């Protein structure tokens, strides 16, 4: 890091080294900097049970405008820490015709009392959110279960409708919240 002696502002520089020990832990999160890194890092760290307990940090705004196809993260039950770092994910298409219990950017935030998940400090501007055969749907997640979401803002991209579609429990940020959860400073 460097501190500007005149203003006192601190600039942090990231070194994303694959040889770093404990990568993906709370104090050494995996760094996400574009749509490809976000998709590949999260999918690669997700178990066959669709559970992901890794920690991530956005280090730049992420636009999916150059990404081919739709995001594949909608099946992930996220039980790590996703630090948005005040960044924006935009132009993301969250779309599937699969029969799903929950869907959104993630299927679910949190999983159990011992595997909680949190997403915080994030702006999301989706291009589309359409899960016509999913029971619980939201832009961030279909379900919050033992999850914590803080400081999340969603808005629409100019020229695109901000419609969220699903079957039973449908919302702007999440479809439904069950078990233990905490939600603060959410704007949609």
């Amino acid at each position: 890091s460097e501190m500007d002696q005149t203003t006192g502002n601190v600039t942090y520089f990231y070194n994303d080294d694959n040889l770093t020990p404990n990568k993906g832990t709370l104090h050494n999160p995996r760094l996400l900097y574009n749509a490809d890194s976000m998709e590949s890092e999260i999918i690669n760290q997700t178990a066959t049970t669709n559970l992901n307990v890794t920690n991530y940090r956005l280090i730049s705004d992420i636009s999916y405008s150059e990404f081919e196809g739709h995001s594949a993260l909608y099946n992930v039950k996220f039980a790590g820490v996703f630090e948005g770092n005040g960044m924006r994910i935009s132009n993301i298409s969250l779309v599937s015709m699969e029969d799903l219990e929950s869907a959104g950017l993630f299927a679910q935030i949190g999983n159990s009392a011992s595997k909680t998940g949190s997403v915080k400090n994030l702006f999301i501007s989706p291009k589309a959110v359409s899960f016509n055969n999913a029971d619980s749907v939201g832009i961030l997640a279909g379900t919050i279960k033992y999850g914590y979401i803080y400081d999340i803002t969603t808005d629409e991209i100019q020229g695109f409708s901000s419609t969220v579609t699903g079957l039973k429990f449908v919302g702007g940020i999440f479809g439904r919240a069950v078990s233990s959860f905490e939600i603060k400073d959410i704007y949609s």
Side-chain angles (χ1 to χ4, degrees):
S1 66
E2 289 180 3
M3 179 185 279
D4 183 314
Q5 297 301 323
T6 306
T7 64
N9 292 337
V10 178
T11 302
Y12 292 92
F13 299 94
Y14 294 96
N15 184 8
D16 194 17
D17 185 350
N18 284 329
L19 301 177
T20 303
N22 302 318
K23 192 169 182 183
T25 59
L26 185 60
H27 298 294
N28 188 21
R30 290 184 171 271
L31 304 178
L32 306 176
Y33 50 89
N34 62 25
D36 289 326
S37 73
M38 185 163 153
E39 292 287 321
S40 64
E41 284 283 339
I42 293 174
I43 294 297
N44 288 339
Q45 302 303 315
T46 300
T48 56
T49 59
N50 290 335
L51 183 63
N52 185 314
V53 296
T54 306
N55 298 299
Y56 301 94
R57 182 179 184 93
L58 294 184
I59 59 171
S60 66
D61 290 333
I62 294 179
S63 174
Y64 272 71
S65 59
E66 301 296 320
F67 187 78
E68 299 219 8
H70 305 300
S71 173
L73 304 179
Y74 62 85
N75 277 317
V76 175
K77 292 180 180 176
F78 186 72
V81 174
F82 189 98
E83 170 56 67
N85 200 21
M87 303 297 171
R88 178 179 301 274
I89 298 172
S90 62
N91 293 302
I92 188 168
S93 291
L94 304 169
V95 178
S96 176
M97 291 301 293
E98 294 175 57
D99 291 333
L100 301 166
E101 187 176 314
S102 294
L105 176 64
F106 298 112
Q108 185 171 297
I109 306 295
N111 191 58
S112 65
S114 63
K115 293 197 182 335
T116 62
S118 74
V119 179
K120 55 190 175 179
N121 306 317
L122 181 65
F123 294 87
I124 306 175
S125 301
K127 189 174 185 178
V129 183
S130 181
F131 296 99
N132 293 332
N133 295 317
D135 289 338
S136 300
V137 178
I139 294 172
L140 182 62
T143 302
I144 308 298
K145 179 179 181 183
Y146 296 100
Y148 305 89
I149 56 176
Y150 309 112
D151 300 315
I152 306 294
T153 300
T154 66
D155 55 15
E156 62 186 17
I157 298 171
Q158 187 174 6
F160 289 94
S161 170
S162 58
T163 304
V164 179
T165 59
L167 289 176
K168 297 178 182 175
F169 306 101
V170 179
I173 302 286
F174 58 91
R176 69 184 178 134
V178 296
S179 301
S180 178
F181 57 88
E182 189 169 296
I183 300 162
K184 289 184 179 177
D185 299 323
I186 306 301
Y187 304 96
S188 177

